[in-house]
């Protein structure tokens, strides 16, 4: 299966997904360098998104009865964050409905009163763990207390069990596990350092090599412990905010039958569980030919599988709306194209931008040759700086970065880049925008309301 650039120059679905994760990992790295907690940063964004959606729906009755899954944790993917947000908002609406009913009627049934107490407590603890006092409507100070974390886990578990007890939901049926009856006792894992990856190149896709070298992805070869030391399979994994991601699994040709492949997948899942540090494991599969054959393997290994939208926005140049605000901003400031300055000057300007307090998803020193110098621009003045970068991958232009601490400068950079693109590129030029921040999502939605997103099969298991 080709997971890189296809013969016609287009990008495979897997390569598009890799563009998103590379950008996401660069953002996480920038946060770490600036001493910013990735979990705290994402928590603040999650809280803002929840409160915004709650305000939109406030006053409405919750659309469904409580099902005990409102507080279920999800992996840090685009769909996972959306599911987490939707669940908490739904819990808040259910809480409001019970409160209003109590205010009007003076009382609730014993079951409703118990549910109100549990939901209210879980909502309060959820926000407290994300550094927000939901009752007072203000940010909370200090680190979340460990006992609050334990209380939250206990409350959510009791809530789910109570829902199941009342018959509003039922415990999920246990899925068949391909690993059952399969002897993993003699299997041994060997973590493969980057210097030895060449020995396993038939099992490791080339487009993962840079992330393996950077330590973002881990390659593990699993052997049977017999004298022949037979290779059972190779797995590529990553860690994201307390979740274990299975990025890629590759098997020797003689072990690709459904039962053996399923057993190996179950083994990798159990390896994550045995680490005793993850909320769960997840994997993303792009919906291409052959994906449907893999989904039963994931389900029978105990994973929840759903079809979701990916986090890559796709459109053509002619689909971008003309925005007078961006044109006006571009006319107000002078942005310098990369093809108009040398790398030394560009590095000096970038250093000023990247030394700020806000995380920026780009490497430093910036690999300027990776970007389209005719479409990428910099701006630097005494009181502001900004940078917009585009790269070219196959037949597509990739929107890599648009950053400035000043909104006018940011608008000017985007407007300038669009002007240049419309002069030099075909109206049918494909553009890709990997979304790793809600600000970029809002911008893409405003400028290209008809942008497209591909489908992923997302599989998840909770430990």
């Amino acid at each position: 299966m080709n997971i890189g650039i296809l013969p016609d120059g287009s990008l495979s679905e897997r390569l598009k997904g890799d563009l998103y994760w590379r950008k996401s990992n660069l953002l996480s790295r920038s946060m770490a360098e600036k001493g910013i907690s990735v979990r705290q940063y994402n928590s603040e964004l999650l809280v803002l998104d929840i409160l915004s959606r709650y305000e939109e729906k406030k006053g409405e009755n919750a659309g469904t009865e409580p099902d005990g899954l409102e507080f279920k944790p999800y992996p840090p993917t685009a769909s996972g964050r959306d599911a987490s947000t939707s669940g908490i908002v739904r819990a808040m609406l259910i809480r409001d409905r019970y409160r209003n009913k109590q205010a009007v009627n003076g009382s609730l049934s014993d079951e409703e009163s118990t549910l109100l107490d549990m939901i209210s407590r879980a909502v309060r603890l959820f926000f407290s763990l994300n550094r927000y006092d939901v009752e007072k409507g203000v940010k909370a100070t200090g680190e979340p207390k460990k006992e609050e974390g334990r209380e939250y886990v206990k409350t959510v578990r009791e809530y789910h069990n109570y829902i199941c007890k009342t018959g509003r939901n039922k415990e999920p049926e246990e899925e068949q596990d391909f690993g059952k009856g399969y002897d993993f006792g003699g299997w041994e894992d060997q973590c493969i350092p980057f210097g030895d990856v060449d020995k396993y190149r038939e099992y490791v896709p080339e487009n993962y090599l840079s992330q393996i070298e950077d330590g973002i992805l881990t390659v593990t070869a699993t052997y049977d412990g017999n004298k022949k030391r037979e290779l059972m399979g190779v797995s590529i994994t990553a860690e994201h905010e307390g979740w274990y991601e299975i990025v890629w699994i590759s098997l020797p040709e003689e072990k690709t039958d459904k039962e053996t492949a399923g057993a190996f997948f179950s083994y990798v899942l159990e390896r994550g569980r045995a680490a005793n540090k993850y909320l769960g494991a997840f994997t993303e599969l792009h919906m291409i030919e052959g994906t449907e054959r893999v989904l039963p393997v994931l389900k029978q290994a105990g994973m929840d599988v759903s079809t979701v939208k990916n986090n890559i926005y796709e459109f053509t140049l002619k689909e971008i709306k003309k925005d007078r605000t961006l044109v006006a901003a571009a006319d107000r400031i002078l942005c310098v194209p990369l093809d108009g300055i040398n790398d030394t000057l560009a590095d000096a300007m970038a250093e000023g931008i990247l030394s700020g307090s806000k995380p920026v998803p780009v490497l430093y020193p910036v690999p300027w040759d990776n970007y389209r110098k005719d479409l990428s621009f910099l701006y630097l003045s005494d009181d502001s700086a900004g940078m917009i970068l585009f790269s070219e991958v196959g037949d597509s232009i990739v929107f890599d970065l648009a950053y400035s601490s000043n909104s006018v400068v940011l608008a000017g950079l985007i407007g300038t880049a669009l002007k240049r693109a419309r002069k030099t590129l075909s109206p049918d030029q494909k553009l890709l925008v990997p979304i790793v921040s809600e600000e970029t999502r809002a911008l893409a939605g405003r400028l290209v309301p008809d942008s497209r997103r591909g489908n992923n099969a997302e599989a998840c298991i909770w430990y």
Side-chain angles (χ1 to χ4, degrees), residues 19 22 26 210 338 343 362-376 389-394 396-400:
L19 293 174
R22 286 175 191 170
L26 283 173
S210 62
L338 287 185
D343 287 357
V362 69
L363 287 171
Y364 185 79
V366 181
W368 298 116
D369 289 341
N370 292 353
Y371 299 104
R372 282 280 300 254
K373 293 192 175 184
D374 58 331
L375 299 176
S376 302
L389 300 175
F390 295 87
S391 60
E392 185 171 1
V393 182
S396 301
I397 300 296
V398 181
F399 177 86
D400 290 294

Side-chain angles (χ1 to χ4, degrees), residues 247-392:
V247 178
W248 185 259
I249 280 181
S250 190
L251 305 168
E253 188 173 348
E254 67 275 12
K255 298 185 184 301
T256 55
D257 64 278
K258 185 178 179 182
E259 293 299 322
T260 307
F264 183 73
F265 198 88
S266 292
Y267 173 79
V268 176
L269 286 176
E270 288 308 305
R271 181 206 296 154
R273 188 191 302 276
N276 200 31
K277 63 177 182 177
Y278 300 116
L279 292 167
F282 73 97
T283 188
E284 291 183 305
L285 288 86
H286 302 278
M287 298 300 290
I288 57 176
E289 184 179 353
T291 300
E292 292 291 342
R293 295 195 300 271
V294 179
L295 302 187
V297 174
L298 304 181
K299 291 178 181 178
Q300 291 179 302
M303 303 190 86
D304 282 356
V305 181
S306 56
T307 301
V308 300
K309 291 296 181 184
N310 67 23
N311 226 17
I312 300 285
Y313 284 58
E314 304 181 41
F315 47 89
T316 60
L317 182 59
K318 65 186 177 187
E319 292 178 282
I320 302 176
K321 290 172 61 178
K322 293 188 176 179
D323 189 300
R324 293 181 181 178
T325 304
L326 298 181
V327 173
D331 291 339
R332 287 177 59 186
I333 64 173
L334 179 61
C335 300
V336 182
L338 287 185
D339 58 8
I341 56 176
N342 58 42
D343 287 357
T344 301
L345 181 55
D347 281 338
M349 295 176 74
E351 184 176 5
I353 294 167
L354 300 178
S355 63
S357 59
K358 189 173 181 179
V360 185
V362 69
L363 287 171
Y364 185 79
V366 181
W368 298 116
D369 289 341
N370 292 353
Y371 299 104
R372 282 280 300 254
K373 293 192 175 184
D374 58 331
L375 299 176
S376 302
F377 290 83
L378 294 170
Y379 175 84
L380 185 65
S381 68
D382 292 337
D383 57 0
S384 188
M387 180 163 57
I388 188 165
L389 300 175
F390 295 87
S391 60
E392 185 171 1

